[in-house]
Amino acid sequence: MSNLCNYAIIRFMPFAETEEFANVGILLYSPKQGFVDFKLAPIRFARVTDFFDDLDGALYSNALRSFADELERVRDFGRKMLGREQVNFFQEVTRYREGVMTFGETSSMLCDEPTIALETLFERYIGRSFATKEYREQQMVKVLRHELKTHVDNVRFKQQRLVADYVPVNMPLVACIGNITKVIKPIAFDQTRPLNLIEHGEQWISRVKRLIQAKTIKPEHMMFTVENPMTKDRNIIRAFNEVSNEMHDLGVNVTQFEDKKSIYSFASNLHENEPFELMN
């Protein structure tokens, strides 16, 4: 017989300023059955530390250990409750608090066996959570960082937090060359809905625009390296073209991720760069 279960995704968010996070666990409870349990990602979880590649790995492991201890106490206490009492208790447990470990919003589902539901949710949100646009872009960053070390002399690109007035912006590939700050941001446009594609592109356009307006970087010292949509869906292509035009309107360099020659030239040139044209 199916019963109502509530669950919240556990998030690791080391940089509150950028609100970037990784899903690292699930907390699930069933008020009617008095069931409570959780599952967390491994202490050594390379996909998390690779995603936040400027992070001290000890921060993640220590935070996860401490949170696991707290969740064990919560689980033992919550299993003594039923119905509304348990719901109220976990509403308080999972409410938003600032910190490295946080909960997402609580969701509900019907399930016959809460233990199986917990495993299913963990696989959906944590086991495969990095097979996303964010994961693809992280792989693009790793590839470029390695290739730039090989092909561009005396210039080191690394993740760095730039500040636009009072707003910090975490950029994946930044190099300081004399008085020049150069930035490369790979973007994968592999979204399946036009709105998602537009929102993803405009998020980064907005961040770069802030940096330019604050004179933290010059437009000619910024480059977007782009992976075009692989679909033939007309609406996706229209959305991509709209975002591409907005990128060009910033006056920045926009080139294909595969166009390594242009990327190396941008990275190594110490003089003012003319914007590249996006290849469609």
Side-chain angles (χ1 to χ4, degrees), residues 101-120:
M101 304 295 295
T102 65
F103 289 98
E105 293 185 3
T106 300
S107 301
S108 301
M109 64 183 295
L110 292 174
C111 62
D112 296 324
E113 176 51 59
T115 302
I116 296 176
L118 178 62
E119 292 292 335
T120 301

Side-chain angles (χ1 to χ4, degrees), residues 57-269:
L59 176 61
Y60 166 72
S61 58
N62 290 338
L64 203 69
R65 286 191 183 96
S66 177
F67 204 65
D69 291 341
E70 182 63 25
L71 286 177
E72 287 178 2
R73 290 190 288 270
V74 166
R75 178 180 59 193
D76 294 344
F77 196 64
R79 284 177 174 176
K80 300 174 184 178
M81 303 174 183
L82 290 171
R84 172 52 58 181
E85 183 183 17
Q86 190 189 75
V87 171
N88 291 340
F89 173 68
F90 280 102
Q91 284 179 344
E92 175 61 23
V93 168
T94 60
R95 70 178 175 84
Y96 177 76
R97 298 175 176 85
E98 290 187 1
V100 174
M101 304 295 295
T102 65
F103 289 98
E105 293 185 3
T106 300
S107 301
S108 301
M109 64 183 295
L110 292 174
C111 62
D112 296 324
E113 176 51 59
T115 302
I116 296 176
L118 178 62
E119 292 292 335
T120 301
L121 290 168
F122 184 86
E123 176 62 19
R124 180 189 304 170
Y125 290 108
I126 290 82
R128 299 174 181 173
S129 65
F130 285 83
T132 63
K133 64 180 182 297
E134 289 83 3
Y135 178 58
R136 173 55 192 154
E137 288 176 6
Q138 186 63 19
Q139 295 301 104
M140 293 164 72
V141 169
K142 291 177 70 174
V143 168
L144 274 186
R145 183 176 291 122
H146 174 74
E147 292 183 343
L148 288 169
K149 286 181 182 178
T150 303
H151 295 90
V152 180
D153 295 330
N154 303 319
V155 180
R156 181 63 58 88
F157 280 83
K158 61 182 181 179
Q159 184 164 312
Q160 185 172 328
R161 195 172 302 170
L162 304 177
V163 179
D165 290 331
Y166 61 94
V167 180
V169 180
N170 206 35
M171 301 300 286
L173 294 167
V174 180
C176 294
I177 311 166
N179 295 323
I180 296 174
T181 298
K182 289 196 173 184
V183 182
I184 301 175
K185 169 55 187 165
I187 298 188
F189 288 107
D190 54 0
Q191 295 77 15
T192 58
R193 297 181 180 179
L195 181 59
N196 292 345
L197 187 151
I198 290 172
E199 288 178 342
H200 182 56
E202 289 185 344
Q203 176 188 53
W204 285 103
I205 290 169
S206 175
R207 293 177 181 181
V208 170
K209 185 177 181 180
R210 279 185 173 274
L211 291 171
I212 293 172
Q213 290 177 339
K215 298 183 179 180
T216 304
I217 59 173
K218 293 183 177 181
E220 59 267 28
H221 296 154
M222 172 71 207
M223 172 177 275
F224 286 114
T225 62
V226 176
E227 278 193 343
N228 293 18
M230 299 299 291
T231 181
K232 295 182 180 179
D233 185 299
R234 291 183 178 179
N235 290 330
I236 294 289
I237 299 302
R238 286 180 63 189
F240 170 69
N241 289 336
E242 179 181 326
V243 171
S244 298
N245 290 335
E246 290 182 26
M247 288 180 175
H248 282 100
D249 288 344
L250 291 175
V252 303
N253 301 284
V254 185
T255 192
Q256 294 294 305
F257 180 69
E258 293 82 6
D259 185 5
K260 297 301 192 295
K261 182 178 179 180
S262 293
I263 297 171
Y264 300 156
S265 176
F266 168 83
S268 60
N269 189 354

